[in-house]
Amino acid sequence: MTLHRLAELHGIASDYRDIWGALHSVSDGTLRALLSTMGIDASTGEAVEKAFVETTRLRWQRVIDAATVIREDTPLRITLRLPSGLDEANLRWRVIAEDGREWSSTFDPKILPPREGMAFSGAAYVARELTLDVALGAGYHRLFIFERDAAVGEGLLIVSPSRCYMPRELADNGRAWGVAAQLYGLRSQRNWGSGDFSDLRVLVDRCARAGASVVGVNPLHARAANNPAEASPYAASSRLFLDPQYLDVEAIADFDECNETRALFTTPRFQATLRALRGCELVDRAGAAAVRSRVLEMLYASFRARHLASGTTRADAFRRFCAEGGEALRRYALFEALQEHFERDDSSRRGWPAWPERYRDPASPAVARFLTEHIERVEFFAYLQWQADLQLAAACGRASTPALSVGLYRDLAVSVDRGGAEAWTYQQCYALGASVGAPPDDFNLLGQDWGIAPWIPSRLADAAYEPFIAVLCANMRHAGALRIDHVMALMRLFWIPLGGMPADGAYVGYPLHALLGIVALESQRNRCLIIGEDLGTVPGEVRVALEDAGVLSYDVFYFERRSSGDFKSPEEYEEQAIAVASTHDLPTLAGWWESRDLALRDALGLIPTEEERDRQLVARAQDRARLLLALDHAKLKPEGVSIDPALVPVMTPELARAVHVYLARTPAKLTVVQLEDAIGMLDQTNLPGTTTEHPNWRRKLILSLEQLQRDAHFDDLAAALRHERPLRH
């Protein structure tokens, strides 16, 4: 049995083609390392043989899969894997629908169509196809297989709609526009040094009045409470919960009730601290977190004394929130309390793999004792989630106006920090010895390592996809649209062994149609539009599947080219898409125009040779000329602007507006403006391939929300987009 066959059995590809079409073979060392992080010993030839037999045995000994995903417009066909004894028996199936209805029928397995057979360890198995004559609607149903009265197989039957939800405003030929912002980077005269949910309410109001249909934000996932310096919103502790650092402390009801808090708040020293945090050019995450945390502790103490102790209406509301959050909320709050507890004694114990071993299992007796002994501390972290949920709901309530018809557009990160709360909760489903990343491409010549842990495909399937479903539901909450970052992860992810370089990575496959079916089901249930961020190396199968499922593709102006290198005309864009000028991982329009990103990458050593740097500089100059020609052909080039880019030294507001009008004229369902581009910022939000070398995820807007309210350039841009994409009534 070869190592490559074992890797293939576990979804690991032995080679791949990069964005330029070159074929790369994966080393045996990488295959062994990735198998090891899946819990498979492939260290020797004997181990490979044993692992292959064991994997095959476990698969065939399961009569039905833990979950089967079927589209509702197709027959309900189930694969049964039956040992020779069961293949001769009279069996019965039973279906319990999500709404409680039941169906049952006996069947003779011998007359079912065989699909394949297997024999090992002296036992013979046959796979047969069972068709259920049941009218099941979309949803989560239970399927049982019985021999007499004993259940020999049980699994989830997930019936999915054929397509994701599409808002009425975008149906047929409907088109809309919106604005996207990094929430933490919003400036205001009242926030505590970084953008918060009340700032989001103000932004939503501003955009709604300007005629936008959607407002997008960065991922709002909970980051490690004890690691405020971790800036990336894509490196989440848990995607199931919200980051409490987005709380507007003054908007919490307990703020007005707590005399101690109000006394502290009015002191000159405290006010000076807030002014200093607001005045920072970059977000001081540690400073903002420290001042928020101090006051939140006081508010929770007041809430316990005034409400929990007396059983008030607000206490009842909190208890209901905890009950609805269930085991997931309890484990998240437990994680935060445990992390705080251990890190207080030893700062090196950051992340659950560094905790004492008896606390690494969420279901252990030690964790149960900790909950009993520290219930108030655990409830503190649940209290923060309650307040965050209330404030996000209030901000999104503004999104129900006729103007903002699609609503809030949330962002789902591709995975999580291996030491965080979500990985602790679902640790059996994560490959903790690997990182997600990407092979080299035009913008990242050395490849990327994002430092987050991937799902193990077989473990996720064995869990009946419950962790994936939970993540989708959490991020569609209070949202009208959801952007799935790196949507290719529904089919494959690029895994890099810990300590390795992107060149050491390999692609690992996932059940695309099952995961996409679940996305469609939750999209319809939550009335949530789905956007798939499909930049980079995208297999053709993924593009076809996303299009069939009604997922909007992500079309970035910089990349939408003809084979000649010229920019596509507006008419050449896809309809089932979101059209944007740039993204958080790419240079702003102004930065791109001035080649600021190339100068920065060169200074940081991210461009490997001088020749490559010169090539990219020449290509950028050609692209500036192509952009001006494209605008000229579309009759959008601003008056007085030459088609010679050398005579246009900077990206003016008029030129930026022309680019966005160009995108607004495409048939794409949505066009979204990065707020940084709307106000003419030069520096990009995140520079992939860097950590501390660049202030990633810390940059504030150059305008405050108060200034944005009266910014003429924003008004002009909004008026132009309203003209191209008027509201549908």
Side-chain angles (χ1 to χ4, degrees):
M1 193 58 57
T2 68
L3 175 65
H4 287 242
R5 283 193 62 193
L6 179 62
E8 181 183 2
L9 189 63
H10 288 276
I12 307 172
S14 297
D15 56 38
Y16 67 91
R17 291 193 180 275
D18 64 23
I19 198 168
W20 303 285
L23 184 66
H24 297 261
S25 295
V26 177
S27 71
D28 287 357
T30 291
L31 296 179
R32 289 192 174 93
L34 296 186
L35 284 166
S36 177
T37 196
M38 293 180 175
I40 308 297
D41 179 10
S43 56
T44 65
E46 182 181 356
V48 167
E49 181 72 33
K50 181 179 178 182
F52 192 94
V53 171
E54 180 66 9
T55 300
T56 305
R57 181 186 67 79
L58 289 174
R59 175 174 177 260
W60 279 90
Q61 285 184 341
R62 178 163 235 155
V63 172
I64 57 175
D65 291 332
T68 303
V69 183
I70 303 174
R71 278 178 40 166
E72 63 180 340
D73 56 356
T74 60
L76 296 177
R77 295 195 177 105
I78 310 298
T79 297
L80 304 178
R81 289 177 290 273
L82 302 171
S84 54
L86 282 183
D87 197 43
E88 301 292 329
N90 288 320
L91 303 180
R92 178 169 59 90
W93 59 260
R94 180 188 182 196
V95 171
I96 303 177
E98 194 172 19
D99 61 9
R101 291 178 297 155
E102 294 189 23
W103 294 265
S104 181
S105 179
T106 59
F107 65 97
D108 182 354
K110 294 191 299 299
I111 68 173
L112 300 179
R115 299 183 61 179
E116 58 178 322
M118 176 63 65
F120 55 88
S121 302
Y125 294 80
V126 63
R128 296 186 181 274
E129 187 175 87
L130 171 66
T131 300
L132 303 176
D133 186 17
V134 177
L136 282 176
Y140 300 98
H141 317 289
R142 302 295 315 178
L143 171 64
F144 301 86
I145 304 296
F146 290 93
E147 182 190 19
R148 297 186 177 89
D149 294 326
V152 294
E154 177 181 353
L156 196 63
L157 187 56
I158 304 174
V159 179
S160 73
S162 59
R163 292 177 67 81
C164 295
Y165 173 76
M166 183 66 67
R168 179 183 57 82
E169 295 79 8
L170 300 182
D172 302 324
N173 296 319
R175 300 181 309 154
W177 69 278
V179 174
Q182 302 296 317
L183 178 54
Y184 58 84
L186 297 182
R187 292 181 186 263
S188 71
Q189 294 174 2
R190 48 138 299 277
N191 73 30
W192 288 20
S194 58
D196 57 33
F197 289 129
S198 290
D199 288 332
L200 179 58
R201 292 182 68 175
V202 173
L203 179 64
V204 165
D205 275 349
R206 176 66 167 114
C207 294
R209 285 187 283 106
S213 292
V214 63
V215 170
V217 291
N218 55 276
L220 303 177
H221 311 322
R223 291 176 298 122
N226 280 34
N227 188 18
E230 172 53 70
S232 174
Y234 290 90
S237 173
S238 176
R239 295 170 295 176
L240 298 172
F241 297 99
L242 299 168
D243 188 349
Q245 293 305 317
Y246 292 123
L247 280 169
D248 174 4
V249 179
E250 296 174 65
I252 296 174
D254 301 292
F255 187 86
D256 290 333
E257 295 181 356
C258 182
N259 295 331
E260 183 184 6
T261 298
R262 286 188 285 110
L264 172 68
F265 180 72
T266 56
T267 61
R269 184 174 181 179
F270 193 88
Q271 287 297 314
T273 299
L274 294 184
R275 285 194 298 272
L277 288 169
R278 292 185 194 115
C280 292
E281 286 306 304
L282 299 174
V283 174
D284 178 358
R285 290 187 178 272
V291 72
R292 275 196 180 96
S293 297
R294 179 183 180 186
V295 177
L296 288 170
E297 297 275 3
M298 297 162 65
L299 297 187
Y300 175 64
S302 175
F303 175 71
R304 287 197 67 86
R306 289 175 176 270
H307 297 282
L308 288 183
S310 304
T312 66
T313 301
R314 287 192 68 228
D316 291 342
F318 174 59
R319 294 302 184 202
R320 283 196 302 274
F321 177 81
C322 292
E324 291 167 3
E327 182 68 6
L329 176 59
R330 187 183 70 85
R331 285 197 175 182
Y332 166 77
L334 252 172
F335 173 89
E336 293 296 344
L338 281 161
Q339 180 59 59
E340 177 185 67
H341 174 79
F342 290 121
E343 199 170 356
R344 184 185 298 119
D345 297 332
D346 183 351
S347 61
S348 68
R349 284 182 164 173
R350 178 164 289 164
W352 64 269
W355 297 350
E357 187 171 357
R358 64 186 180 277
Y359 293 97
R360 296 176 195 171
D361 179 359
S364 73
V367 170
R369 283 193 302 273
F370 183 91
L371 173 61
T372 301
E373 296 167 1
H374 299 83
I375 185 62
E376 289 189 15
R377 200 61 193 160
V378 173
E379 286 191 340
F380 167 69
F381 290 105
Y383 168 83
L384 298 185
Q385 287 304 310
W386 178 43
Q387 293 304 313
D389 187 72
L390 288 173
Q391 290 193 9
L392 180 60
C396 295
R398 302 298 180 94
S400 62
T401 62
L404 213 72
S405 53
V406 175
L408 188 69
Y409 157 19
R410 292 183 63 177
D411 198 345
L412 174 61
V414 68
S415 193
V416 294
D417 181 344
R418 63 180 45 80
E422 189 177 324
W424 183 62
T425 297
Y426 297 122
Q427 59 193 263
Q428 295 304 313
C429 291
Y430 280 102
L432 302 175
S435 286
V436 176
D441 59 30
D442 281 324
F443 273 77
N444 303 282
L445 295 174
L446 302 178
Q448 299 177 63
D449 182 343
W450 302 330
I452 51 180
W455 299 116
I456 299 174
S458 61
R459 302 273 184 86
L460 186 60
D462 288 344
Y465 305 110
E466 187 274 330
F468 180 68
I469 296 166
V471 165
L472 289 177
C473 291
N475 286 274
M476 291 182 187
R477 186 172 172 85
H478 308 311
L482 180 66
R483 173 189 180 273
I484 299 178
D485 187 44
H486 198 71
V487 73
M488 298 83 79
L490 297 177
M491 178 180 174
R492 69 178 191 180
L493 269 177
F494 194 72
W495 289 25
I496 304 166
L498 281 186
M501 298 295 291
D504 302 320
Y507 278 106
V508 176
Y510 291 81
L512 170 63
H513 295 287
L515 297 178
L516 190 54
I518 293 169
V519 169
L521 175 56
E522 291 302 331
S523 167
Q524 291 287 355
R525 290 191 157 194
N526 291 279
R527 298 175 62 82
C528 188
L529 173 72
I530 302 297
I531 299 160
E533 187 270 295
D534 53 352
L535 304 179
T537 307
V538 187
E541 182 182 350
V542 171
R543 292 203 186 279
V544 171
L546 294 176
E547 182 177 0
D548 289 346
V551 176
L552 269 57
S553 64
Y554 206 69
D555 293 352
V556 179
F557 177 70
Y558 299 149
F559 305 142
E560 291 300 306
R561 310 290 188 101
R562 300 174 183 143
S563 58
S564 63
D566 294 334
F567 289 100
K568 289 181 179 178
S569 66
E571 306 83 51
E572 293 176 274
Y573 279 66
E574 296 296 325
E575 177 182 347
Q576 192 173 294
I578 174 174
V580 298
S582 184
T583 78
H584 55 259
D585 283 336
L586 296 171
T588 63
L589 268 177
W592 180 89
W593 186 264
E594 297 183 21
S595 300
R596 193 179 183 94
D597 59 311
L598 298 183
L600 179 60
R601 295 175 69 80
D602 183 43
L604 294 176
L606 298 177
I607 300 178
T609 64
E610 289 186 12
E611 291 76 13
E612 177 60 25
R613 178 202 61 195
D614 294 343
R615 185 194 71 79
Q616 291 196 24
L617 285 169
V618 170
R620 183 63 56 83
Q622 294 171 338
D623 285 344
R624 286 193 290 268
R626 288 183 171 116
L627 184 150
L628 291 173
L629 284 173
L631 295 178
D632 191 45
H633 291 156
K635 297 183 170 43
L636 287 172
K637 183 171 65 64
E639 187 175 347
V641 173
S642 170
I643 60 171
D644 181 357
L647 300 178
V648 189
V650 297
M651 172 66 64
T652 64
E654 294 75 21
L655 190 54
R657 180 179 60 192
V659 171
H660 287 107
V661 171
Y662 189 92
L663 293 173
R665 289 186 179 177
T666 70
K669 293 289 185 187
L670 279 178
T671 186
V672 169
V673 181
Q674 301 290 324
L675 198 47
E676 293 88 347
D677 288 333
I679 61 177
M681 290 182 64
L682 273 171
D683 295 307
Q684 67 193 78
T685 298
N686 178 53
L687 185 65
T690 65
T691 51
T692 58
E693 306 94 326
H694 184 262
N696 295 327
W697 312 111
R698 293 177 173 88
R699 201 171 298 283
K700 292 183 181 181
L701 294 180
I702 57 176
L703 296 182
S704 69
L705 288 172
E706 291 81 9
Q707 291 170 317
L708 187 66
Q709 298 286 6
R710 53 183 184 274
D711 185 65
H713 294 313
F714 184 87
D715 286 335
D716 289 345
L717 175 58
L721 296 176
R722 282 198 310 271
H723 176 75
E724 298 295 334
R725 295 182 169 226
L727 290 171
R728 294 176 70 178
H729 298 290

